Amino acid sequence: MLKRIKHLEKIALGLEPTSEHRADLLESVVKYSEDFLDRIYELPAFVTTSDKGKGLLDSPISENGIDINSIIKLIEQNVDRPGLNPASGGHLGYIPGGGIYYSALGDYLADITNRYAGIFFASPGAVHMEHMLLDWMAEIVGYPKGSGGNLTSGGSIANLIGIVAARDAKGLKAKDFDKSVIYMTSQVHHSVDKAIRIAGLKECVIHYVPMDKKYRMNADELEKMIVSDMKAGLNPFLIIASAGTTDTGAVDPLESIGDIAKQNNLWFHVDGAYGAFFVLCEEGKKILKGMELSDSLVMDPHKGLFLPYGSGAVLVKDKQKLFDSFWYQANYMQDAAKGSDELSPADISPELTKHFRGLRLWLPLKLVGIAPFRAAIEEKLLLARYFYKQIQQVDGFEVGPYPDLSVVTYRYIPKSGDANEFNERLIKEVQNDGRVFISSTMLDRKFTLRLAVLSFRTHLKTIDLLLDILNEKIKLIGKR
Ligand SMILES: *Cc1c(COP(=O)(O)O)cnc(C)c1O
């Protein structure tokens, strides 16, 4: 047996590179990433290929490894080339963010030391860091002390946590579901629908509140619905509002909704995955007023703080409610349960072991401070307004509502022919060109183009480039 153990040890040492080997690996990886970053303002935002990265499959996972440079080639050809380039400032579709460099350094350190961020006993420092970041978010959105939260992988899990906390805080049991009512608009993000289902609340009554012309919840209608549902013997318990919808960037009237929630004793959940960090600038703060009245709030650092993917957050005003939904007990965790003067992320979220994701946010904030984030978010807001104005100077374009935040909807109306068809062709042309990437949506059965400005690398010249490209492609389609 000893011989076998020694033999296995030798092979297992393949998991522990020597310092020379580490230096080699690092050199190759740094060279590739430096090259990528040096060219990032020239790289296309979207690449259409016929192979769609299939070359990756020609190199199967096997018993023996291959060298780092061949691996980097595989990534470069098959992963980092085809499709959308979310690191590009030309990414103006869906909800971009960019992925700031400093976070990569945080991830690197977090992975090297592998601190156990889920449990205070195991890593008091990592847990303090997470809570410090959440306290900072609570402060900027106007939540009081005593609120709690969790750094999640994204807004979807954050919405799930908020909705589960609401369900339990209102004491809902399965037998109550079919009489209990959730209020939201048809513009909520699909992750909210998904979270409702995962939380077992699909059998609740879901009342879609009518919207105004800007796709915002109509608060008067909401109030009427709640009153009439109560009269009918139903149990209204949850309002879900959006602080920036994904489709049009609309911000629901949060202040009025907050008052209605309070008066009628409903849980008020705000999905600010896209929009909440606009609170960092004065203009955004005004638009988001009332967000602080919510009981739970979702905000995505991988959107509004431009972090690489994998960073969401949920805040819950009454920390105890989070604990009541997500506490756990396990015999093998008894050492960890004692000696904690701080709640652990594992006590207040679905995860036990978690990525030390605090470091990818804390490091950049410490290194450059809040100021550049504040400036960048205001810049995005103003760029959207700039585009809104400029696109109306181009003959034939029709715009949606004035942007609440940084999403603009617009479409081209051709002199003859079907407008939907034309805009579909237009977006195809823009995507095939690839210098910028825009996405589209259906609004009132109209094929509508969207501009979403939220990459930290999107600047004035990116928006001017989009305007040029749109002009160019319209002429091109007209000639055919
Ligand atoms: C992006 C988004 C989500 C989902 O967040 P993920 O981080 O993608 O999981 C939820 N709500 C809104 C409004 C969003 O824009």
Side-chain angles (χ1 to χ4, degrees):
M1 187 169 74
L2 286 181
K3 215 173 129 201
R4 178 78 183 152
I5 291 174
K6 286 285 181 201
H7 171 71
L8 293 172
E9 178 179 318
K10 225 163 116 191
I11 303 172
L13 273 176
L15 298 176
E16 188 70 283
T18 62
S19 60
E20 291 85 39
H21 190 197
R22 287 203 299 273
D24 280 351
L25 293 170
L26 209 52
E27 194 186 316
S28 299
V29 168
V30 169
K31 186 179 174 307
Y32 177 64
S33 40
E34 281 301 303
D35 198 45
F36 182 83
L37 286 178
D38 286 344
R39 292 184 302 135
I40 189 63
Y41 288 94
E42 287 105 60
L43 285 174
F46 193 82
V47 177
T48 318
T49 64
S50 51
D51 61 283
K52 298 202 162 72
K54 261 189 104 176
L56 200 65
L57 309 179
D58 297 336
S59 178
I61 309 294
S62 58
E63 213 48 43
N64 297 303
I66 61 175
D67 72 289
I68 186 71
N69 293 319
S70 312
I71 291 172
I72 287 175
K73 272 205 198 89
L74 281 173
I75 299 174
E76 182 174 22
Q77 274 306 306
N78 301 295
V79 184
D80 292 343
R81 191 179 49 99
L84 179 64
N85 177 2
S88 162
H91 176 19
L92 305 166
Y94 312 117
I95 304 287
I100 49 176
Y101 174 72
Y102 310 115
S103 293
L105 302 180
D107 278 346
Y108 184 75
L109 292 174
D111 288 359
I112 295 287
T113 60
N114 199 24
R115 300 306 303 190
Y116 197 86
I119 302 280
F120 184 80
F121 168 80
S123 187
V127 173
H128 279 313
M129 188 184 287
E130 171 153 344
H131 288 165
M132 190 178 165
L133 290 163
L134 291 159
D135 286 348
W136 171 68
M137 291 180 207
E139 188 194 314
I140 60 171
V141 302
Y143 263 31
K145 284 208 159 49
S147 55
N150 191 252
L151 294 182
T152 63
S153 55
S156 302
I157 300 297
N159 269 322
L160 177 64
I161 292 176
I163 286 166
V164 167
R167 178 195 69 194
D168 297 346
K170 292 299 175 192
L172 255 62
K173 298 281 183 299
K175 64 177 169 48
D176 311 316
F177 288 178
D178 62 355
K179 284 199 165 49
S180 298
V181 194
I182 302 173
Y183 303 86
M184 57 197 204
T185 72
S186 58
Q187 285 283 315
V188 290
H189 192 265
H190 64 80
S191 66
V192 167
D193 290 301
K194 209 197 236 185
I196 287 171
R197 267 187 287 131
I198 300 172
L201 300 174
K202 198 176 155 229
E203 283 132 60
C204 287
V205 181
I206 301 201
H207 276 162
Y208 289 95
V209 184
M211 294 175 289
D212 65 13
K213 286 202 179 71
K214 293 189 75 179
Y215 303 98
R216 299 178 301 198
M217 186 183 284
N218 182 325
D220 293 335
E221 290 293 331
L222 168 71
E223 192 164 25
K224 278 189 216 151
M225 287 170 109
I226 293 174
V227 170
S228 106
D229 286 342
M230 281 175 169
K231 273 199 191 128
L234 295 173
N235 171 38
F237 81 101
L238 171 63
I239 305 168
I240 301 174
S242 306
T245 60
T246 312
D247 230 9
T248 72
V251 178
D252 288 329
L254 302 172
E255 214 167 7
S256 311
I257 298 172
D259 289 341
I260 294 167
K262 188 159 183 215
Q263 268 164 32
N264 296 283
N265 196 25
L266 271 71
W267 184 280
F268 180 26
H269 176 79
V270 172
D271 179 1
Y274 152 59
F277 280 110
F278 280 92
V279 79
L280 282 172
C281 69
E282 281 311 313
E283 193 63 19
K285 200 171 183 165
K286 272 188 242 158
I287 295 162
L288 295 168
K289 193 148 179 8
M291 192 162 67
E292 71 285 356
L293 302 174
S294 60
D295 296 291
S296 50
L297 171 66
V298 168
M299 46 208 305
D300 262 4
H302 66 203
K303 290 178 177 166
L305 290 179
F306 324 111
L307 260 61
Y309 295 137
S311 277
V314 60
L315 297 175
V316 173
K317 200 172 259 166
D318 181 355
K319 184 161 46 181
Q320 182 65 35
K321 298 286 187 269
L322 263 185
F323 182 82
D324 292 345
S325 286
F326 295 101
W327 64 275
Y328 70 98
Q329 235 172 7
N331 292 339
Y332 61 85
M333 293 296 291
Q334 61 183 9
D335 314 316
K338 290 172 201 146
S340 289
D341 20 286
E342 184 85 18
L343 276 178
S344 294
D347 293 316
I348 48 178
S349 80
E351 289 180 313
L352 172 58
T353 306
K354 73 187 289 181
H355 180 253
F356 179 16
R357 56 176 72 95
L359 199 49
R360 65 201 332 257
L361 176 54
W362 181 83
L363 188 144
L365 283 170
K366 292 302 292 175
L367 201 57
V368 302
I370 306 167
F373 291 95
R374 230 188 261 292
I377 204 91
E378 185 177 349
E379 181 196 14
K380 304 317 151 204
L381 196 98
L382 296 180
L383 286 175
R385 291 179 181 182
Y386 169 78
F387 177 82
Y388 188 76
K389 195 164 149 240
Q390 295 306 115
I391 193 72
Q392 291 179 74
Q393 311 298 313
V394 184
D395 212 25
F397 273 104
E398 163 185 292
V399 290
Y402 186 77
D404 279 344
L405 298 172
S406 68
V407 175
V408 178
T409 54
Y410 59 103
R411 67 201 301 258
Y412 187 77
I413 309 295
K415 295 222 166 60
S416 61
D418 185 68
N420 281 3
E421 229 166 75
F422 189 94
N423 285 282
E424 220 173 318
R425 277 171 73 190
L426 179 57
I427 204 162
K428 266 268 157 346
E429 290 292 343
V430 176
Q431 289 175 359
N432 283 337
D433 178 281
R435 281 175 288 169
V436 297
F437 175 84
I438 53 171
S439 59
S440 66
T441 185
M442 291 304 284
L443 288 172
D444 309 318
R445 303 232 185 102
K446 291 177 182 160
F447 191 98
T448 303
L449 307 179
R450 287 171 74 254
L451 166 78
V453 194
L454 201 58
S455 167
F456 73 102
R457 290 196 176 102
T458 300
H459 302 297
L460 192 56
K461 64 172 186 249
T462 331
I463 303 300
D464 285 335
L465 176 64
L466 169 63
L467 288 161
D468 287 348
I469 292 174
L470 287 170
N471 269 309
E472 189 185 301
K473 301 304 173 196
I474 284 165
K475 286 200 191 101
L476 190 83
I477 297 173
K479 274 194 205 132
R480 281 193 190 145

